[in-house]
Amino acid sequence: MKLKGFIVTFGSFALATALLYLLGYVFTIPWLMFQYEYTNNASGFFVTTGSLVPLIIGLVISFISEKIYLYKYRQKLG
């Protein structure tokens, strides 16, 4: 039960996040794209990242899918 629950939760997180990032790149939606820049001009260290919105949405989806999975599992037990 624990392994299946983990697979459902992590799988839904990974799938939802990857799908949202893919949609961001396909349709050029900036708040769904991950941009990473690294610049080191003689120790002028500069780092920037992209949107974390797909990660947050993926966490919400994985939370909901875990609750649905647990509900169905408990319902099946009787």
Side-chain angles (χ1 to χ4, degrees):
M1 170 20 212
K2 289 185 180 184
L3 180 63
K4 270 189 174 178
F6 174 75
I7 291 172
V8 167
T9 304
F10 183 74
S12 64
F13 169 73
L15 185 67
T17 304
L19 184 66
L20 287 172
Y21 277 128
L22 180 69
L23 287 174
Y25 279 106
V26 169
F27 296 110
T28 317
I29 304 170
W31 55 277
L32 290 180
M33 294 175 68
F34 187 78
Q35 297 112 5
Y36 174 79
E37 294 179 24
Y38 169 77
T39 305
N40 184 8
N41 293 332
S43 297
F45 187 74
F46 178 75
V47 173
T48 165
T49 61
S51 176
L52 298 177
V53 172
L55 290 173
I56 295 169
I57 294 173
L59 284 173
V60 170
I61 289 173
S62 69
F63 176 77
I64 293 170
S65 68
E66 179 185 18
K67 294 298 177 188
I68 292 172
Y69 175 76
L70 288 176
Y71 175 75
K72 297 224 182 226
Y73 180 77
R74 288 181 184 148
Q75 199 175 37
K76 189 171 85 172
L77 287 179

